[in-house]
Amino acid sequence: MSTKNIEEKQYLLRFKCDTKSHLTVLDHDVCMTQCPEKFCTVFCPAEVYKWEGKRMQVGYEGCHECGSCRIGCPYQNIKWEYPKGGHGIVFRLA
């Protein structure tokens, strides 16, 4: 049985990134004015969301496609879609 920690398991993930993000923050003003907690920077296991200055930056290239941002944003301000065919996360078991 494997005794790898979460960081070691995440290292096994590979990504085939599209040039267009499948994650969209619908209104950056909502993040700035209504969400002082910036919940998405906490609940995303891949740490895709980063608050920088006055904008939420989205590093979609490392998304685990878990969908937590679809349900985690209390303002429903994140649009999540599956990456287009042939792109996204590639799981490698070891």
Side-chain angles (χ1 to χ4, degrees):
M1 180 173 235
S2 177
T3 59
K4 294 180 180 167
N5 64 32
I6 190 69
E7 289 81 14
E8 291 170 326
K9 290 179 182 179
Q10 286 180 332
Y11 181 74
L12 295 174
L13 302 176
R14 297 294 178 252
F15 304 92
K16 184 175 180 188
C17 299
D18 193 358
T19 55
K20 185 175 185 290
S21 178
H22 64 287
L23 304 169
T24 306
V25 174
L26 299 174
D27 185 350
H28 288 275
D29 288 336
V30 170
C31 300
M32 185 172 12
T33 61
Q34 297 179 30
C35 188
E37 299 88 357
K38 310 295 185 267
F39 291 117
C40 60
T41 63
V42 178
F43 63 66
C44 177
E47 300 178 354
V48 165
Y49 300 94
K50 303 281 185 206
W51 183 254
E52 294 181 1
K54 297 182 178 184
R55 248 179 110 75
M56 187 62 67
Q57 298 298 321
V58 183
Y60 72 95
E61 300 90 345
C63 177
H64 292 184
E65 298 173 30
C66 67
S68 63
C69 55
R70 278 194 289 193
I71 58 173
C73 178
Y75 303 99
Q76 298 178 337
N77 195 34
I78 299 173
K79 180 180 177 187
W80 185 96
E81 302 173 301
Y82 284 106
K84 75 178 184 185
H87 293 88
I89 194 165
V90 177
F91 294 99
R92 189 179 84 192
L93 303 173

